[in-house]
Each structure stands twice: as structure tokens, then as C-alpha cells.
């Protein structure tokens, strides 16, 4: 690989240079108010903000030294996220013991956040939403080891906050619940490699857009040991008993959709739509698969991949759904680039390179890159009952000058017992993704989100 000084111009990838951060010559972050002004949350529709985008209050105060550094950071997050998802798939529990790189976020919180209000009077919070998690937790005042941040929840000032008692159904549903001697309230612990946190289980009123979920059960973080966690809370949109989807079933009918904006968007704002109202009437869909041991994950049956008009010869075992091993394909909102088990990725990559028929180079975590103008074949993901042909912006990453482009997919990391194919958020962008749990389906429809 070339030296950092010579490779830096190549590393100003489109993904990161189109206003993930808008930097001036002094290196400070600049976001115009016009670019960030959007309509407020209304009804049951919430604005989605990219956690690292120019309009996010969570963006780093000091930008990364280069777009290459940001790209490296994101691909490392994806690697750790994949370890986390595979741990869920292979263990089938909320107890994940997966290596976490130094300084990385506990639980690998996903990239997209929404605004919410918790308590009485309400306290404004930022919540990362995660389709592969059931947990809900908030950093709370008095927490030992929690990061400093502006979105802590103070339960002592909320007149509607109630601790969840020991012996309650919610306590038994929490991961590793604990009731200490002489304690009347339930706590739970979550371990993640050398990191762990302890949270008190509580209930309070959670408001999203115009709706309120009464007696919402969540973990109030009390102690964190190990790697730091991000300042925002977590809104789990999985299918487990303590997920937001289950707790709000009477309001939203276990149905939601989102549209994630393209990385070309100025303000990284899409929408999260809760409930059946306003969802697409005509949408292609594929059945949801239920794995009773891994209820948090949205499994679907991927039957193949087409590159151009040719169906790739992928070993059937690489796409098989197996409730025992946890293998299969999941739709995930928290991984940035689609990750395939190695035999599936290598077969797809081989056919892609064959059809492009141009010299291949590598760049960062991407192993299929091209210099100069190249005609790229379409990639179509084949699912039971539907197929999704991805536009080029969902498949290729382009440098700022357009001189280099990379296939924005990857194989599972070496040395990982990976069993999951993860359809990630870059490949989902500018689609309305519908999660219709009562009818056991996931739908895809093209929609431009800005």
C-alpha cells in the first residue's frame, strides 16, 4: 500500500466527503442552519439523524484528521458490530462476550438516532434505534463510569418514574436480572468482553413525536466498567418481550418502517414511521423468519445474488437458515456495509470483477476498487418472493474526484466464526424498509429521503 502522504487524496471517499463533516480550512466543523433545518417530528413519524452527520449534536467536537481516518473508524465499528451480531446468533442470548477494540463503543450502538422525551416533566433525549436489539437503556445521572453528555436522564426529577420491583415479569425478562438483598427494585447486568454495565430497571412515560408510551420499561444505567459508551440511549426495535415494538404493541401494532438517507444528503435526515398508518400500500416483500432462540434478529430468506444478469454460484450452505446454529440472513440498521459469509462474498466478488474486467486495487477495508471511469454491473439481492436491485449509489463508493470507486461490501472478518449475512444500512438507503411483524414480512420500496 502506498504511504499515507501519497494515498491521502485517494482516501477522500465520497461516502465521507459529502458532508459527514463539512470542514473549513481550519479544521472546524461548519454546518449552515439552512442545511440542518427540517420539519419537526409529527404524528407517529420521527426524523432520523445520522449520529456522525453535520446536523447531529453527537458529532465529535474535533473532526477526524482525514476522511481516511473516519473511514477506518467506521469499518472497525462494522467489524465489532458483526462480532456482536454473530454472538447473538450463535448464543441466542443477550449475554455477549465478544472482543471489543480499545476505545470502541459498548454494544456498538448503531449510526442512526431519533429524538425522544422521557419522564414528567419530560426530559429531551437522543435515542439510537437498533433493529437487532431488544434492550432499552438510558445513561442516568449519578452513573459511575458513564460518559459526560447532554442526554442523561434524571429519574429523581420525574414524578412518573417508578422502579420495577423484584419478581415482576419485566424483571425476569431483563438480561441477567439481579435483586440484591434488602433491595425491592430489579437490576440487570450486561457483559461485553472486558466491559460491563449495571442498570436499574425502571418505568416512565416515553414520548416519540406526538405519541406517548406509558410505563415504558428501560434500564437506567448506574455503573459502567471498561470501555466508554456513547451519551445517547438505546431504543431496541427487535421482537423480544422488552423491546419497544412489544411494549408499544397496543399503539403501533408491532409495525414500523424507516427510510435511511443517502450519504449524499446534506442533513442526513430520513424518517422512522411507527404504526400501520402511512405505510406503503403496495410494496414488494419477503417473509420474516422466526428463530425462537434469537428473537431480536429480523431473519429473511436470501436465495441468491445476481451480478448483472448472471446469478452467482453461491454454496447453498452460505445462505441457509438454521435455527440451531443461528445461520442465515438478517436485515440490520446498525451495520454500515453489507457483510456476507466468506464463501458468498468471494463468489459475488469474483463475478463482479469478471464483468467489470478492469485492473483491481484495494483501499482501506475494500478489496475491489477501480481507478478511472468504469461501467459497473447491477447487483440484485434475491429473497424469497422478491428481489431488490440496488442503484449504484447503494453499491459503489466514489472518491471526491471520481477517480477511484470501491465495491461497498465485505466478507466476514478472518478468524471469526461468522454465520450471518448482514444486509446493512448503506444498501438500504433511499428505500422504505417496512417491518410488518403481525403479517411476518419485511418490505422494500424505493423512496428518496432527504
Amino acid at each position: 500500500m502506498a504511504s499515507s502522504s501519497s494515498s491521502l487524496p485517494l482516501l477522500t471517499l465520497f461516502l465521507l466527503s459529502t458532508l459527514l463533516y463539512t470542514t473549513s480550512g481550519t479544521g472546524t466543523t461548519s454546518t449552515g442552519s439552512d442545511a440542518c433545518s427540517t420539519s419537526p417530528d409529527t404524528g407517529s413519524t420521527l426524523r432520523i439523524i445520522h449520529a456522525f452527520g453535520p446536523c447531529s449534536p453527537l458529532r465529535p467536537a474535533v473532526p477526524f484528521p482525514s476522511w481516511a481516518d473516519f473511514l477506518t473508524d467506521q469499518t472497525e465499528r462494522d467489524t465489532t458490530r458483526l462480532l456482536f451480531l454473530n454472538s447473538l446468533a450463535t448464543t441466542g442470548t443477550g449475554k455477549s462476550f465478544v472482543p471489543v477494540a480499545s476505545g470502541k463503543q459498548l454494544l456498538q450502538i448503531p449510526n442512526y438516532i431519533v429524538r425522544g422525551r422521557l419522564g414528567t416533566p419530560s426530559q429531551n433525549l437522543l435515542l439510537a434505534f437498533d433493529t437487532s436489539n431488544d434492550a432499552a437503556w438510558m445513561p442516568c445521572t449519578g452513573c459511575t463510569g458513564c460518559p459526560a453528555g447532554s442526554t442523561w436522564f434524571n429519574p429523581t426529577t420525574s414524578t412518573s418514574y417508578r422502579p420495577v420491583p423484584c419478581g415482576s415479569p419485566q424483571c425476569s425478562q431483563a438480561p441477567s436480572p439481579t435483586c440484591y438483598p434488602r433491595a425491592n427494585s430489579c437490576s440487570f447486568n450486561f457483559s461485553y468482553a472486558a466491559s460491563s454495565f449495571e442498570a436499574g430497571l425502571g418505568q416512565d412515560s416515553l414520548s416519540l413525536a406526538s405519541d406517548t408510551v406509558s410505563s415504558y420499561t428501560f434500564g437506567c444505567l448506574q455503573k459502567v466498567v471498561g470501555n466508554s459508551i456513547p451519551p445517547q440511549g438505546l431504543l431496541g426495535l427487535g421482537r423480544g418481550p422488552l423491546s419497544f415494538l412489544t411494549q408499544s404493541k397496543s399503539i403501533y401494532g408491532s409495525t414500523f418502517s424507516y427510510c435511511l438517507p443517502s450519504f449524499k444528503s446534506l442533513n442526513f435526515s430520513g424518517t422512522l414511521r411507527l404504526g400501520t398508518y402511512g405505510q406503503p400500500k403496495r410494496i414488494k416483500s419477503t417473509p420474516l423468519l422466526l428463530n425462537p432462540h434469537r428473537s431480536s434478529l429480523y431473519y429473511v430468506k436470501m436465495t441468491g445474488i445476481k451480478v448483472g444478469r448472471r446469478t452467482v454460484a453461491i454454496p447453498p450452505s452460505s445462505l441457509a437458515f438454521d435455527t440451531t446454529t443461528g445461520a442465515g440472513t438478517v436485515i440490520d440498521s446498525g451495520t454500515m456495509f453489507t457483510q456476507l459469509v466468506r464463501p458468498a462474498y468471494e463468489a459475488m466478488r469474483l463475478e463482479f470483477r469478471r464483468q467489470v474486467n478492469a485492473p483491481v486495487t484495494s483501499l482501506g477495508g475494500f478489496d475491489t476498487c477501480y481507478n478511472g471511469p468504469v461501467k459497473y454491473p447491477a447487483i440484485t439481492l434475491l429473497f424469497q418472493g422478491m428481489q431488490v436491485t440496488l442503484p449504484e449509489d447503494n453499491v459503489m463508493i466514489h472518491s471526491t474526484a471520481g477517480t477511484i470507486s470501491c465495491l461497498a461490501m465485505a466478507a466476514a472478518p478472518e478468524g471469526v466464526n461468522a454465520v450471518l449475512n448482514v444486509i446493512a444500512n448503506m444498501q438500504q438507503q433511499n428505500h422504505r424498509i417496512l417491518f410488518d411483524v403481525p403479517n411476518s414480512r419485511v418490505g422494500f420500496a424505493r423512496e428518496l429521503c432527504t
Side-chain angles (χ1 to χ4, degrees):
M1 185 171 178
S3 66
S4 59
S5 60
S6 62
S7 62
L8 184 59
L10 296 178
L11 290 169
T12 55
L13 292 179
F14 150 72
L15 167 62
L16 307 172
S17 60
T18 53
L19 294 179
L20 272 170
Y21 300 99
T22 303
T23 54
S24 67
T26 60
T28 58
T29 301
S30 171
T31 58
S33 58
D34 292 341
C36 290
S37 61
T38 60
S39 57
D41 300 339
T42 57
S44 299
T45 299
L46 292 84
R47 175 192 174 198
I48 292 174
I49 308 169
H50 195 288
F52 306 106
C55 298
S56 171
L58 298 177
R59 67 185 184 274
V62 179
F64 287 92
S66 70
W67 305 126
D69 293 317
F70 187 88
L71 176 61
T72 299
D73 180 79
Q74 290 301 300
T75 53
E76 287 178 357
R77 289 175 189 273
D78 264 10
T79 297
T80 311
R81 173 77 176 179
L82 190 65
L83 292 171
F84 171 62
L85 294 177
N86 274 281
S87 75
L88 293 181
T90 54
T91 63
T93 71
K95 304 173 185 177
S96 300
F97 301 92
V98 184
V100 178
S102 176
K104 297 303 171 190
Q105 295 178 349
L106 181 68
L107 296 182
Q108 287 305 294
I109 297 308
N111 301 316
Y112 293 97
I113 57 177
V114 295
R115 297 181 186 276
R117 303 178 306 282
L118 186 66
T120 308
S122 62
Q123 301 175 38
N124 294 326
L125 297 171
L126 295 173
L127 303 169
F129 70 89
D130 188 351
T131 57
S132 298
N133 207 313
D134 293 333
W137 53 261
M138 317 288 173
C140 291
T141 53
C143 172
T144 303
C146 282
S150 60
T151 60
W152 288 29
F153 174 65
N154 187 349
T156 63
T157 63
S158 174
T159 59
S160 52
Y161 177 81
R162 298 289 183 272
V164 172
C166 294
S168 66
Q170 293 89 347
C171 184
S172 63
Q173 293 164 352
S176 302
T178 301
C179 282
Y180 294 105
R182 296 183 295 277
N184 295 321
S185 58
C186 179
S187 299
F188 70 92
N189 300 277
F190 201 109
S191 297
Y192 195 78
S195 299
S196 63
F197 70 71
E198 180 180 317
L201 204 61
Q203 292 182 331
D204 213 329
S205 296
L206 174 66
S207 297
L208 300 174
S210 302
D211 302 324
T212 299
V213 180
S214 301
S215 301
Y216 181 67
T217 303
F218 64 96
C220 197
L221 292 186
Q222 299 170 337
K223 182 179 181 181
V224 174
V225 177
N227 295 294
S228 64
I229 65 171
Q232 76 266 32
L234 180 68
L235 187 71
L237 293 175
R239 291 182 280 178
L242 281 184
S243 73
F244 175 81
L245 206 63
T246 300
Q247 293 195 55
S248 64
K249 184 177 180 179
S250 62
I251 302 174
Y252 301 123
S254 299
T255 302
F256 70 97
S257 71
Y258 55 70
C259 186
L260 305 179
S262 163
F263 288 115
K264 288 181 178 178
S265 299
L266 282 176
N267 52 23
F268 283 80
S269 178
T271 56
L272 171 65
R273 189 173 297 152
L274 302 171
T276 59
Y277 180 78
Q279 304 295 1
K281 300 298 182 182
R282 301 177 64 182
I283 187 171
K284 55 188 177 183
S285 63
T286 186
L288 269 175
L289 304 179
L290 179 61
N291 187 333
H293 307 296
R294 291 97 181 169
S295 59
S296 298
L297 302 179
Y298 287 98
Y299 281 93
V300 294
K301 185 177 182 180
M302 186 162 70
T303 59
I305 299 174
K306 289 175 66 176
V307 177
R309 297 182 178 181
R310 183 182 292 270
T311 301
V312 178
I314 295 175
S317 59
S318 296
L319 303 177
F321 174 61
D322 189 325
T323 59
T324 302
T325 65
T329 300
V330 298
I331 308 294
D332 180 52
S333 64
T335 309
M336 182 172 287
F337 305 111
T338 287
Q339 309 266 336
L340 302 174
V341 296
R342 192 160 292 274
Y345 175 74
E346 289 177 348
M348 184 272 297
R349 180 186 63 185
L350 179 65
E351 181 59 28
F352 187 87
R353 290 178 174 181
R354 188 190 70 80
Q355 293 190 29
V356 173
N357 193 26
V360 176
T361 185
S362 61
L363 184 63
F366 302 106
D367 61 12
T368 302
C369 302
Y370 301 93
N371 284 298
V374 176
K375 184 177 181 180
Y376 302 105
I379 290 183
T380 302
L381 305 179
L382 307 177
F383 301 96
Q384 181 182 351
M386 76 170 185
Q387 60 183 38
V388 179
T389 299
L390 301 173
E392 185 177 316
D393 284 347
N394 292 66
V395 176
M396 302 301 298
I397 295 177
H398 305 284
S399 66
T400 306
T403 57
I404 189 169
S405 302
C406 296
L407 177 63
M409 297 183 184
E414 293 280 6
V416 175
N417 184 26
V419 297
L420 286 178
N421 298 296
V422 180
I423 309 302
N425 61 55
M426 181 173 178
Q427 281 65 48
Q428 297 176 44
Q429 290 163 14
N430 277 329
H431 289 82
R432 174 66 55 181
I433 315 296
L434 172 66
F435 295 82
D436 182 359
V437 175
N439 293 305
S440 297
R441 63 178 184 143
V442 173
F444 277 69
R446 275 293 276 161
E447 178 181 325
L448 296 179
C449 343
T450 56

